[in-house]
Amino acid sequence: MAYKIPKDLDLAKIKRRAKSVPVYLVMKEDQIDTVILPIYGKGLWSTMYAFLALEGDTNTVKGLSFYEHAETPGLGGEVDNELWKKSWKGKKVFSPDWAPVIDLPKAKVDPQRPEAIHQVDGLSGATLTTRGVKNLLRYWLGENGYGPFLANLRQQGV
Ligand SMILES: Cc1cc2nc3c(=O)[nH]c(=O)nc-3n(C[C@H](O)[C@H](O)[C@H](O)COP(=O)(O)O)c2cc1C
């Protein structure tokens, strides 16, 4: 079943989405080790599809990997850059009150600053793709995406 996303909520610019989406939980004994969330949204030229892997705390990034997009190689296509992908590891997507605050500033992230824990470098020369990445993450992690599901996981485990 498709659900039409009201324009003002459609941060990822996808217009509609399935009402239920499969997510993947990797268990270690009886604990959630990894939560894998399919996410997607518009870049500059294309809809970009990714998996976001979070630790069992539902907050710490294990990895972000785009598996389909048509952004420009060397510009938006740098979403595939291995070093950039590595820089996501350990970032916290949520604020202490569980608002999605992951950010991709244009200026290089200063690791000394406290907000660096929520920040990954924006892709240079690709402001629009970068904005797409930030917005799709915030959509899917928010109230209208996986937010309620993740809150449930934190409360109940599985
Ligand atoms: C052929 C061509 C391909 C481009 N591809 C991308 C792209 O994949 N992603 C992107 O954000 N900007 C791309 N741009 C640049 C955008 O038009 C825009 O200038 C840019 O996003 C601004 O980023 P900046 O402020 O970091 O320079 C492309 C521009 C040209 C001429």
Side-chain angles (χ1 to χ4, degrees):
M1 279 281 282
Y3 151 78
K4 202 164 180 292
I5 304 168
K7 240 196 164 116
D8 55 327
L9 301 178
D10 190 13
L11 273 180
K13 301 232 162 39
I14 52 180
K15 298 199 173 92
R16 66 189 66 78
R17 69 169 174 82
K19 270 198 179 136
S20 54
V21 180
V23 301
Y24 307 90
L25 299 178
V26 181
M27 306 301 294
K28 223 175 225 170
E29 314 211 318
D30 57 352
Q31 298 274 344
I32 301 171
D33 181 66
T34 311
V35 183
I36 300 169
L37 306 171
I39 58 177
Y40 60 96
K42 274 269 151 59
L44 171 58
W45 306 116
S46 63
T47 303
M48 307 187 289
Y49 296 84
F51 288 110
L52 174 67
L54 298 174
E55 290 183 11
D57 65 1
T58 77
N59 190 13
T60 310
V61 177
K62 281 199 166 185
L64 172 68
S65 194
F66 285 87
Y67 60 89
E68 192 184 323
H69 69 79
E71 302 300 289
T72 311
L75 296 171
E78 288 295 290
V79 292
D80 297 330
N81 181 300
E82 288 301 328
L83 277 177
W84 186 77
K85 284 167 70 174
K86 276 199 187 117
S87 74
W88 283 85
K89 199 171 157 55
K91 297 294 174 179
K92 309 277 187 201
V93 291
F94 290 112
S95 65
D97 59 351
W98 300 103
V101 291
I102 191 71
D103 197 14
L104 291 94
K106 203 163 175 169
K108 236 185 155 28
V109 173
D110 176 355
Q112 302 304 322
R113 297 194 59 88
E115 61 269 28
I117 194 70
H118 302 300
Q119 294 179 329
V120 171
D121 291 347
L123 300 168
S124 55
T127 301
L128 301 171
T129 304
T130 299
R131 188 177 303 153
V133 172
K134 171 178 150 178
N135 286 340
L136 77 89
L137 278 163
R138 289 192 178 195
Y139 173 76
W140 285 104
L141 291 166
E143 268 313 291
N144 303 288
Y146 297 115
F149 166 75
L150 295 175
N152 225 17
L153 273 191
R154 289 192 295 275
Q155 235 157 43
Q156 314 184 1
V158 280

